Amino acid sequence: MLLYYYFRNDLKTRRYIFCFFSLYFFYKASGYFVALVILSAIVDFIISNAIYRQQDKLRKKLLLIASIVFNLGMLFYFKYTNFFISLSNDLLSTGFHPLNILLPIGISFYTFENLSYTVDVYRGKFVPAKKFTDYLLFLSFFPKLVMGPIVRAHDFVPQINEPYVLSEKDFAKGFYLILSGLIKKLIISDYITLNFVNYIFDDPSRYTGLENLFAVYGYAAVIYCDFSGYSDIAIGIAKWLGFTIPTNFLSPYQSKNITEFWRRWHISLSSWLKDYLYIPLGGNKRSTFATYFFAALFFVGVVMMGVHLLHFSYLWSSVLSLLILGIFAFPAVIKKDRTLLSTNFNLLNTMLLGGFWHGASWNFIIWGALHGIALAVHKIWLLLTGKALKNINNSRLYNIIAAIITFHFVCFCWVFFKAPDFDSGLDMIYQITHDFSFSVWTAFYNNYKAVLGMIALAGMIHLIPDDLAGRMIGRFTKIPMIAYITAFFAFVILYGFFKSAEQVLPIYLQF
């Protein structure tokens, strides 16, 4: 930091310091996998500049395809090879042995950044960097490299060669983001994880429905505090270093519907999926071959899931698949507009692939599918009630009820996101629905007072208006250094009190 500050106005030296430190940071986190970051930076730097210079449309498209194949091929090999080996063994009895492949830290994030960069250059939205160090710094910038947020080149690259400016308000905002992020991750999320959530999810059948229900609530607090906390830390550090990274979370559990939830949750991912997956699939305007290909795979998958996971007959599994198809087709039938069917399919495909991005597991695909179906259901709700409820859908009571329903649906989906396998997720739902009683509340409360307090604290933090810190900081012309020092040591004391000997890795580190 001191070296960077000393050379803050020497743009060339500053870039080299940043690149070296970022790559060293990644090396300490993942070892020799740092070579993958350098390799992908070299390949996409060369291809993006070739795309920009190329005038022939066909050759331009072939270069883009080469970039996509390279990046997705690397991601596929490290993240999904064993999943498809397992799938082949289950469906075709091939008997292939899983490969000993380690998942490089951060590969999902920097792969998406590479793809967005070359696609934006291809679309003519961005002039590629001429200096390799500019591109390498964009890709390897250490605060966001291993767990995001996913940064767009047109937001980040122009800032690299701007003069270093750190105002009093920027320092205060960065300090607030870093400190609040540390509290959310290291104190709230880690405490709930170690003292409650992990062992309930490990074997839900051993615990009462009440314990399972609060484990789900607890995990909702954990994943929000964990990932939004890390995002806040990354954004705060970037702010201190003179870079602005867009906000990644906007109080998502206050959402009044599932569509709004995805505008507030992991914004950098949801916006990436919209711009580089949903729209290329056809968006809300048209259909493509991929629209119906992936949708067909999904409905066949529903039948197979019904047979192998839910143990339905092929007949009832087919009925389930047709019922879900009816949900997606309903708006098109009512409005007599075939485009609405392709729009719903494109949303479904986006959520399926978004779920699969999180990990090579059926649970993540199911999680994505549930959100895709919910988005279609929300469209039906708007279609049927838009005019009827237009006078009350902005009322406070309606919004509260809608937010509660949305929150509980999101929590239901978290069950499959967190559960180690599908059966464990079903066990948890079974316990909540069949073994739930408030008669055990006293014993439960006495055993988990501190955990419940942490969940409540997470809820209160979540209710803080997103712009409150900015408004409060704006009221002060200068905050005394003693205030920063006092706040920091207060956090250290608090962390020392709640710290556990067992380390809790960030959730999104595995993605």
Side-chain angles (χ1 to χ4, degrees):
M1 289 290 288
L2 291 175
L3 191 63
Y4 173 77
Y5 186 76
Y6 181 78
F7 289 103
R8 65 190 182 280
N9 294 319
D10 184 339
L11 299 181
K12 182 178 180 180
T13 305
R14 191 177 76 179
R15 283 200 312 272
Y16 283 126
I17 292 170
F18 250 140
C19 289
F20 175 79
F21 182 79
S22 294
L23 292 174
Y24 180 74
F25 172 83
F26 193 70
Y27 169 74
K28 297 301 291 184
S30 64
Y32 292 108
F33 283 126
V34 69
L36 292 178
V37 177
I38 299 172
L39 175 63
S40 62
I42 293 171
V43 171
D44 284 289
F45 176 77
I46 293 171
I47 291 179
S48 62
N49 277 281
I51 289 173
Y52 182 72
R53 291 191 304 268
Q54 185 58 247
Q55 299 300 314
D56 184 80
K57 289 185 178 180
L58 177 59
R59 292 179 180 178
K60 212 168 189 173
K61 183 170 288 189
L62 289 174
L63 286 167
L64 176 64
I65 292 171
S67 173
I68 293 172
V69 169
F70 170 77
N71 286 288
L72 292 184
M74 190 166 63
L75 179 64
F76 181 93
Y77 173 76
F78 285 103
K79 194 166 185 175
Y80 301 108
T81 297
N82 284 331
F83 174 82
F84 283 102
I85 286 176
S86 175
L87 185 65
S88 174
N89 291 340
D90 291 341
L91 296 180
L92 305 175
S93 302
T94 49
F96 295 134
H97 295 291
L99 303 180
N100 185 24
I101 301 174
L102 296 176
L103 180 65
I105 291 173
I107 190 170
S108 298
F109 291 95
Y110 64 76
T111 295
F112 271 22
E113 288 179 343
N114 274 324
L115 289 171
S116 65
Y117 184 88
T118 52
V119 170
D120 281 351
V121 172
Y122 174 81
R123 291 174 175 173
K125 293 183 176 180
F126 182 73
V127 177
K130 301 304 179 186
K131 301 183 182 72
F132 176 67
T133 49
D134 282 356
Y135 186 72
L136 183 61
L137 178 54
F138 154 69
L139 197 64
S140 65
F141 187 57
F142 74 92
K144 56 83 180 172
L145 176 59
V146 295
M147 288 179 290
I150 300 169
V151 176
R152 307 287 184 90
H154 59 75
D155 290 327
F156 188 88
V157 173
Q159 299 181 65
I160 293 174
N161 296 304
E162 290 181 356
Y164 176 78
V165 177
L166 182 64
S167 66
E168 176 69 27
K169 289 182 180 179
D170 286 340
F171 182 86
K173 186 66 182 295
F175 182 85
Y176 167 78
L177 288 169
I178 293 168
L179 195 65
S180 63
L182 288 170
I183 291 171
K184 285 193 283 187
K185 168 66 182 95
L186 297 178
I187 295 177
I188 299 174
S189 177
D190 287 3
Y191 188 86
I192 299 172
T193 298
L194 290 174
N195 293 282
F196 187 52
V197 166
N198 273 1
Y199 55 83
I200 302 289
F201 269 89
D202 284 344
D203 191 0
S205 59
R206 291 179 53 198
Y207 301 95
T208 65
L210 186 67
E211 288 171 307
N212 276 275
L213 178 62
F214 273 87
V216 178
Y217 291 153
Y219 185 69
V222 163
I223 193 168
Y224 169 74
C225 288
D226 183 288
F227 194 35
S228 73
Y230 180 84
S231 294
D232 287 348
I233 295 167
I235 294 168
I237 293 173
K239 181 77 71 178
W240 277 1
L241 296 172
F243 292 89
T244 298
I245 294 178
T247 301
N248 208 24
F249 290 86
L250 287 172
S251 303
Y253 295 145
Q254 295 185 34
S255 303
K256 297 176 287 296
N257 55 68
I258 198 65
T259 303
E260 183 183 354
F261 174 81
W262 278 105
R263 293 181 184 136
R264 292 168 171 257
W265 176 271
H266 200 346
I267 298 167
S268 64
L269 174 63
S270 57
S271 62
W272 194 100
L273 292 173
K274 175 188 174 184
D275 292 342
Y276 303 103
L277 188 56
Y278 174 68
I279 291 176
L281 282 171
N284 61 0
K285 298 183 182 301
R286 61 188 177 89
S287 62
T288 61
F289 171 77
T291 298
Y292 293 103
F293 175 75
F294 287 115
L297 284 180
F298 168 73
F299 289 111
V300 171
V302 170
V303 174
M304 301 307 293
M305 183 195 77
V307 172
H308 295 285
L309 294 180
L310 299 175
H311 307 295
F312 291 170
S313 66
Y314 275 102
L315 174 62
W316 285 111
S317 296
S318 300
V319 170
L320 175 62
S321 185
L322 289 173
L323 286 173
I324 296 174
L325 175 60
I327 292 173
F328 288 98
F330 185 81
V333 173
I334 295 297
K335 301 290 286 186
K336 297 180 180 179
D337 184 355
R338 187 177 176 182
T339 306
L340 296 176
L341 177 62
S342 60
T343 298
N344 278 341
F345 280 167
N346 287 333
L347 280 172
L348 171 66
N349 295 333
T350 301
M351 297 312 301
L352 287 171
L353 293 171
F356 199 41
W357 173 86
H358 283 83
S361 164
W362 287 112
N363 274 25
F364 290 122
I365 297 174
I366 291 168
W367 173 80
L370 289 171
H371 277 275
I373 294 169
L375 289 169
V377 170
H378 179 235
K379 286 183 177 295
I380 294 174
W381 174 257
L382 292 177
L383 184 65
L384 296 179
T385 66
K387 293 181 179 180
L389 298 180
K390 68 177 182 179
N391 293 325
I392 65 169
N393 59 12
N394 288 322
S395 69
R396 188 174 185 83
L397 178 61
Y398 177 89
N399 288 336
I400 290 172
I401 294 172
I404 291 172
I405 292 172
T406 302
F407 172 71
H408 280 85
F409 172 77
V410 171
C411 286
F412 172 75
C413 296
W414 286 141
V415 171
F416 297 100
F417 191 95
K418 168 62 176 173
D421 52 59
F422 184 73
D423 287 339
S424 296
L426 290 183
D427 286 344
M428 176 164 277
I429 294 169
Y430 181 87
Q431 289 299 102
I432 293 171
T433 55
H434 289 78
D435 188 24
F436 187 88
S437 173
F438 278 110
S439 62
V440 298
W441 170 258
T442 302
F444 173 72
Y445 176 77
N446 289 332
N447 286 330
Y448 299 111
K449 284 181 183 177
V451 170
L452 294 174
M454 285 293 185
I455 295 173
L457 178 59
M460 287 187 287
I461 289 175
H462 190 272
L463 292 174
I464 296 175
D466 296 301
D467 63 343
L468 179 63
R471 286 192 280 116
M472 294 298 293
I473 291 170
R475 293 182 180 181
F476 298 92
T477 55
K478 186 175 179 61
I479 299 175
M481 184 56 65
I482 189 64
Y484 293 116
I485 296 171
T486 302
F488 175 74
F489 279 105
F491 163 75
V492 171
I493 294 169
L494 195 63
Y495 177 58
F497 182 78
F498 287 103
K499 183 180 183 295
S500 172
E502 185 178 347
Q503 186 180 15
V504 182
L505 294 175
I507 292 171
Y508 269 68
L509 196 65
Q510 63 183 299
F511 305 143

